[in-house]
């Protein structure tokens, strides 16, 4: 003899199970509603992957996508292009990096962002024109590209060198990541807002 039949009649056990299902379904409905403080398209935005490295990108495409992001830096939000650059960055956030030529602690995004707003790198933000000067595969997993960039301010022109490295092993296996972005001149001679 089961416990439910000995304690409750069949009609009582049926009413208890229907109350439990009503409670469960009302809880489920309540948790599926969108809270008032979120925007109407929050679910759709959560489904989109943030733009960054893709396994299908070649080294040339990875550089192109980064430069496009910097050209439209403040779309869809402020400094979004710099965020894309940070996702492509191939440095360890727990160690000092030579990503910009000198050793910097770039583990925090805010430090990375400040360097892009420094006078020598800000030409990349919202630039008007760019031209590839040279491209070279140093070895199978290392690619370098020099790019001339004309900024939005008068007579603002700079040359930069991207060094892309293809990772092997681990979670980034096969991805092209930016090892360094170097300015041709002494970009930090006047100091840096770091």
């Amino acid at each position: 003899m089961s416990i439910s039949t000995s304690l409750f009649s069949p009609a009582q056990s049926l009413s208890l199970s229907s109350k439990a299902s009503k409670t469960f379904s009302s809880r489920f409905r309540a948790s599926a509603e969108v809270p008032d403080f979120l925007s109407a398209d929050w679910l759709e935005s959560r489904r989109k992957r943030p733009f960054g490295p893709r396994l299908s990108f070649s080294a040339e495409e990875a550089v192109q996508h980064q430069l496009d992001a910097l050209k439209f830096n403040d779309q869809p939000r402020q400094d979004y292009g710099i965020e894309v650059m940070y996702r492509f960055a191939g440095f360890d956030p727990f160690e000092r990096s030579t990503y910009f030529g000198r050793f910097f602690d770039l583990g925090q995004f805010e430090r990375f962002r400040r360097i892009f707003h420094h006078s020598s790198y800000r030409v990349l933000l919202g630039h008007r024109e760019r031209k590839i000067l040279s491209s070279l595969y140093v070895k199978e997993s290392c690619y370098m590209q020099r790019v001339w960039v004309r900024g939005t301010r008068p007579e603002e022109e700079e040359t930069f060198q991207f060094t892309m490295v293809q990772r092997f092993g681990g979670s980034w296996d096969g991805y092209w990541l930016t090892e360094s972005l170097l300015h041709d001149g002494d970009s930090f001679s006047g100091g840096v807002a770091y």
Side-chain angles (χ1 to χ4, degrees):
M1 177 174 353
S2 72
I3 295 174
S4 63
T5 57
S6 66
L7 294 176
F8 303 107
S9 68
Q12 287 175 330
S13 64
L14 179 61
S15 68
L16 285 176
S17 64
S18 66
K19 285 180 186 176
S21 67
K22 285 180 187 176
T23 306
F24 176 74
S25 65
S26 66
R27 282 185 195 163
F28 183 74
R29 267 185 285 148
S31 66
E33 294 174 6
V34 179
D36 292 339
F37 59 86
L38 294 176
S39 65
D41 64 342
W42 76 274
L43 183 59
E44 182 180 323
S45 67
R46 297 274 298 156
R47 288 183 181 150
K48 292 180 183 176
R49 283 176 44 191
F51 192 77
R54 302 279 192 271
L55 193 54
S56 61
F57 290 167
S58 66
E60 297 92 346
E61 290 171 328
V63 172
Q64 178 73 29
H65 287 301
Q66 291 178 79
L67 286 169
D68 287 344
L70 290 173
K71 184 174 184 172
F72 303 103
N73 183 50
D74 291 332
Q75 295 173 10
R77 63 181 171 273
Q78 188 175 4
D79 288 334
Y80 179 74
I82 299 173
E83 287 180 36
V84 170
M85 292 295 294
Y86 196 70
R87 288 186 198 115
F88 273 96
F91 57 79
D92 182 355
F94 299 108
E95 294 183 14
R96 295 176 72 81
S97 170
T98 57
Y99 183 91
F100 293 107
R102 292 190 181 175
F103 274 102
F104 287 116
D105 177 6
L106 300 175
Q108 296 175 355
F109 172 73
E110 183 58 28
R111 291 180 179 175
F112 187 81
R113 189 190 72 77
R114 282 186 197 151
I115 291 175
F116 269 99
H117 284 282
H118 185 267
S119 60
S120 57
Y121 283 90
R122 76 173 174 213
V123 66
L124 289 164
L125 305 178
H127 63 273
R128 288 187 183 173
E129 184 182 354
R130 67 178 179 252
K131 185 168 128 181
I132 296 171
L133 300 176
S134 63
S135 299
L136 173 69
Y137 275 93
V138 178
K139 52 186 175 181
E140 189 177 339
S141 62
C142 183
Y143 173 80
M144 293 179 149
Q145 187 174 84
R146 290 176 46 80
V147 181
W148 169 84
V149 178
R150 174 176 290 153
T152 56
R153 296 164 194 86
E155 298 181 25
E156 189 177 41
E157 298 179 10
E158 303 290 343
T159 304
F160 296 92
Q161 176 182 301
F162 279 85
T163 303
M164 305 297 293
V165 176
Q166 190 175 31
R167 291 286 175 93
F168 295 105
S171 60
W172 291 103
D173 186 36
Y175 288 83
W176 285 96
L177 301 176
T178 308
E179 183 176 83
S180 65
L181 173 60
L182 305 176
H183 180 267
D184 257 11
D186 185 11
S187 59
F188 302 113
S189 60
V192 66
Y194 176 69

